[in-house]
Amino acid sequence: MTPAAAPCGTWPSPVGARLVAAHDGRPEYVDTVGQEVWWTEPRPAEDGRRALLRLRAGDAGTAGKTEPEFVLPPPWDVRSRVIEYGGRPWAGAERPAAGPLVVFVHHADQRMYALEPDVPGARPYPLTPLPPAGEGPRWADPVVLVARGEVWCVLEESTGPAPTDVRRVLAAVPLDGSAAADRSRVRELTDGTDRFVTGPRLSPDGRHAAWLAWDHPRMPWDGTVVRLAEVTAEGTLAEVRAVAGGEAESVAQADWAADGTLLFSGDASGWWNLYRLNDPATALCPREEEFGGPLWKLGHRWFAPLADGTVAVLHGRGPLRLGVLDPVTGRLADVPGPWTEWAPALAAAGTRVTGVAAGPRGGYEVVELDTATGHTRVVGAAPPGPVDPAYLPEPVERVVRGPGGREVHALLYSPRNPRYTVPEGELPPYVVRAHGGPTGRAAAVPDLETAYFTSRGIGVVEVNYGGSAGYGRAYRERLRGSWGVTDVEDCAAVARALAAEGTADPARLAVRGGSAGGWTAACSLVSPAAEDLYACGVIAYPVLDPEDWAGGGTHDFESRYLEGLLGSPAEHPERYRERSPLRGADRITVPFLLLQGLDDPVCPPAQCDHLLAAVAGRGVPHAYLAFEGEGHGFRRAETVARAVEAELALYARVFGFERGDVPALELTE
């Protein structure tokens, strides 16, 4: 069928808002329990909970597909709030005579529970105390030690009323449930000297433990240390010492090889590379590529040692691919297959490696590789099938030149619909997206939210601006002291390049971002660097007032993040004032949509209230949608669908096309 020419934005599409919401999110926290594969998976239609799934050993359905089963029914929600962004919320151990034993954190009360799923009639039982009124202790990154009768994990608890009154330690929790009613039964393994810690990794012989630690004002991608300790017969940690990393070196992960040597991913060379701990540390495959990434959640895994001494690794510039590294020869063999982007969620058992991966034409799925045979198979969470792939856009990597000739990386998603094409003489509108973090990266994976717009004739370009991870430490540190400048300039450079080459309509450009990307979007509407460039903006759960944020207006993990992004408030107060979208709100002249969760501890809704007050009565059309029960990022299906439809309604109004299939967006001036 020959595609019909129709105005951009008006194309009918089978990618509806409810479909986008139903498939929002991706699998996380893959691990093995014996020969079984387990992972968590989002359930937007079930109040946004994270379900725990299990694939029994030997399960296989037709055509190589498998049938995972749900371990816990609603409303069980396997999700930790440690450092607010969370961390690995579950772990399991195989017991040959009794079946698996699994521990997990339930989001509603943040208690840790245990479950024996193969015991008839078994129900989860609590391992940790019921939280008192208000915030209670939180737990993450557990390791189940059946022989010791304990779970070793990270304990986070408040010490006062301020968001920054927090301590974190490694702790041992009894598996018999005795600590559920008696907090004193929890053994603290470290003394709280380090502000932040990850869960312990025990050596194969159980005699040593290693973990990562860092302190304010550093973020984990700025500088971390690997701590190593001896595990005594009494189950305490002795002779604790730092063995790798430092204030100016980030170690993203540390783990043990099968032979008992310690491996870690560190960026001493300017790139996260894999090292073996000795004196000095030995780089196993030195390359100007990343073998690690920013540790936004405790328990991310970019490498997994295998029993034969090889190591499964994620590596690359920008997109990460899976390879198997021989640490003796340094040979790295990439795994064939359609997957071009792997999430930091590797697990290994015997010769098998399991991870979460996606390709340029599909969503994330759980993939297993048998390194002995080279065979790969999808074991769970395959991409949704209700949409013809012809409606899905394909990412095209672009590099444009920003100010001073610097490289700016971007992912271009052109309008794509098999039934429609852009009319002659018309250029499509484009949405310039700024990712969150800002120390993050837009992955080259076309999710259904992107397809929602591209299948209607609206292009999308995601900008991995200076400061993004994936391109080496120097690229990551371009944002140091220049947040609100470099990111804004780089997004503007991409937008102008697309307009200059005739890809995008220069009169129909929008800027959009969430969290730190919301800051970039808001700054783009007030910055001289993007003056008269964007016709409208979408700002989701944003940072808007850096002075308030740095003064106790956010959670502990990021409470001093701005010292790297903007500089010390005491030494550079002008940056906090001059770059604030709130202080520059009088320069906003184009329509915008503001989206916010009312239970957001990272970017509290008060900042949105201040922006609305600043633009009130100034004649700038705007809309504000606030969602009860949503935190930082939206999880519930109804919220995701409403936000997507509202964004399309804004573009329809500003870009001048009709959409009868979405609710009209009421704008206030």
Side-chain angles (χ1 to χ4, degrees), residues 22 24 45 72 87 137 250 253 313 321 352 481 506 558 585:
D24 188 49
L72 297 161
S250 168
Q253 180 189 346
V313 295
R321 55 193 182 275
R352 296 181 299 125
E558 293 181 282

Side-chain angles (χ1 to χ4, degrees), residues 20 38 86 101 164 172 183 187 326 333 377 383 386 472 480 517 574 598:
V20 172
W38 293 53
L101 173 66
T164 52
R183 168 66 172 79
R187 289 193 308 117
D326 183 338
R377 64 170 184 153
R480 185 166 291 277
E574 76 287 352
L598 293 178

